[in-house]
Amino acid sequence: MSAVWHPFTQHATEPVPPRIVETDGAYLETSDGRRLLDGISSWWVVTHGHRQAEIVEAIKDATGRMDQVIFAGLTHAPGEELAEALVGMAPKGLTRVFYSDSGSTAVEVALKMALGYWRHEGDGRHRIAVIEDSYHGDTIGTMSVGERGVFNAAYDPLMFAVDKLPFPTGDGAATLAAFEELAASGKMAALILEPLVLGAGGMRIYPAAVLAGLRAICDRHDVLLIADEVMTGWGRTGRLWACDHAGIAPDILCTSKGLTGGVVPLAATLASDRIFQAHYSTDRRRTFYHSSSYTANPIACAAALAQVRLWQQSPMQARLESLSAMQAARLARFAGDPRFHNLRQCGTIAAMDLQVGDAGYLAETGPRMRAHFLENGVLLRPLGNTVYVLPPYCVTDEDLDLAWGAVASFEA
Ligand SMILES: *Cc1c(COP(=O)(O)O)cnc(C)c1O
C-alpha cells in the first residue's frame, strides 16, 4: 500500500512502480538492485547526468550558508549572479530575469508579463495565439494555451479562449499565412510557442525557417513572441537554445527543466527591456504583482549557476554534436523497418512512430511498450505511438545501443 498519488498515473491499471534508491549518471538503481538506463532524462530535466558532480558540490556548498530567503525587498548573490549569467547566454535583448519554480509557473509569468505589457501601454490587446498540439504545462493558464483533449477536458470550463495556428508542416506556409492574418487584426498580445520541437505533443519537429518567419510577422504587427524553451533549452536541440537555430530572440523566454541540470527545481522567465520598462513606473499599479514562495531559492540558484558554468567552461557544443551523431546512427537502423515511420531528429532528441491501427494515449500499446522497456533495463515512456530517446548528455554508445535495442526488440 502506498499513500502516494502519482502524476499522470492511472492507479487502477498500472503496475506497482519500481522503487528507485539511487541515481548516477545515466542510470537509476532500483531497490531490488537493478540498473535502469534513464532514456528520457527523468521527463526531460536531466541534462548532463544524474547527480552531476559540480552541481551537487555547489548545492552542498550553498546549504552551508543559506536556505530560502524572501526575494521581495531582499536580494542575494546566487540570484544576482545567475541572472547576470543567464542574460549573458540568452538570445540578445533579454535583459531581465524573473524567477519561479517550474515550467508551468515560468509560462504563467510569461503570459502575465505579456498582458501586463499591453495594459500598461494603454493598448487593449489581450488575445494569445498558440500552435496546435502544443504543451505549456498543467496549470489552468498553461493548459489554456496548450492542446485541449482527454488530459484536460474536465477543466475546459475554466480555460480561456486562444487563437490556434495549424502545426507547421512542410515549409510552414499555411501556419505563417494564418498567423499573418491573425496578427494583422491588431488584437494579438502574444504568440506563445515551443521553438522547433513540440515535446509532449509527440516530439513533432518544424524547421527553423518557420520560427524565423513567425518572428518576422510578430515584428511587422507588433505581437510579442514568447518562446517556451522549458524542454528545448540547455542543448536538447543541439544548440544552447532552440531559438539559436533560427538566429532569433523572443521578447520573453521561459526556461526550467534543464536549468539546474535536473537536480533541483527552478525556473526563470527572461524578458526584454521593453517588457520591463512597461512595468517600471512610480505608479504602483504597474508593479509586476507575482511571486512564488520559493522565488530564487538560493540553493537552487547555486545549482543553476554551477550548471551554467559547465556551459561556459566545458566543450558542451562538441558534446552535443557527438551525441546528435550517435543518435542519428541508431535512428538510421530503423529506416525501412515496417514497424516504424516518421523517423525524425532534432539535435539530441530522436523519435519515430510505431505503426498501429488506432494510436493515442488510451491504447494499450503504451503500457505494453513501457513494460517491455523496463524488462530490458531501460526507462522509456512513449507519447501515444511515438517512441523517442531523449538521453542525458553523459550517455555512451553502449547506453544508446541498450535503449534502441530495447525499442528494436519490441513486438507490436
Ligand atoms: C514540461 C514542460 C512545461 C511544464 O513544466 P513543469 O515544470 O512540468 O511545470 C512547460 N512547457 C514545456 C514546453 C514543457 O516541456
Side-chain angles (χ1 to χ4, degrees), residues 173-198:
T175 307
L176 293 170
F179 185 47
E180 182 85 53
E181 194 181 322
L182 266 182
S185 72
K187 292 187 180 129
M188 287 294 129
L191 165 65
I192 181 165
L193 51 75
E194 296 167 85
L196 298 200
V197 188
L198 272 58

Side-chain angles (χ1 to χ4, degrees), residues 44 102-104 135-137 194 228 230-231 257:
W44 322 342
S102 72
S104 298
Y135 177 79
H136 296 290
E194 296 167 85
D228 177 356
V230 169
M231 188 280 279
K257 295 196 166 109

Side-chain angles (χ1 to χ4, degrees), residues 71 77-89 94-99 268 270 301 305:
F71 209 56
E80 295 283 346
E81 284 168 30
L82 176 60
E84 195 180 316
L86 290 176
V87 165
M89 299 172 88
L94 297 166
T95 53
R96 288 280 169 171
V97 176
F98 191 95
Y99 292 112
L270 280 64
C301 287
L305 202 52

Side-chain angles (χ1 to χ4, degrees), residues 326-341:
M326 286 157 66
Q327 285 276 68
R330 279 151 191 91
L331 195 60
R333 293 177 195 161
F334 292 88
D337 186 326
R339 294 173 301 165
F340 298 100
H341 63 137

Side-chain angles (χ1 to χ4, degrees), residues 93-96 117 251 271-280:
L94 297 166
T95 53
R96 288 280 169 171
Y117 171 83
D251 301 279
S272 67
D273 194 50
R274 171 186 177 195
I275 310 283
F276 181 75
Q277 289 305 330
H279 292 82
Y280 186 85

Side-chain angles (χ1 to χ4, degrees), residues 234-290:
W234 304 106
R236 246 2 132 173
T237 67
R239 304 283 291 268
L240 175 54
W241 307 106
C243 285
D244 294 342
H245 291 272
I248 60 127
D251 301 279
I252 302 174
L253 182 148
C254 306
T255 177
S256 183
K257 295 196 166 109
L259 176 55
T260 65
V263 183
V264 286
L266 183 68
T269 305
L270 280 64
S272 67
D273 194 50
R274 171 186 177 195
I275 310 283
F276 181 75
Q277 289 305 330
H279 292 82
Y280 186 85
S281 168
T282 51
D283 180 351
R284 283 181 58 238
R285 287 170 303 179
R286 289 192 177 205
T287 307
F288 189 54
Y289 288 115
H290 188 99

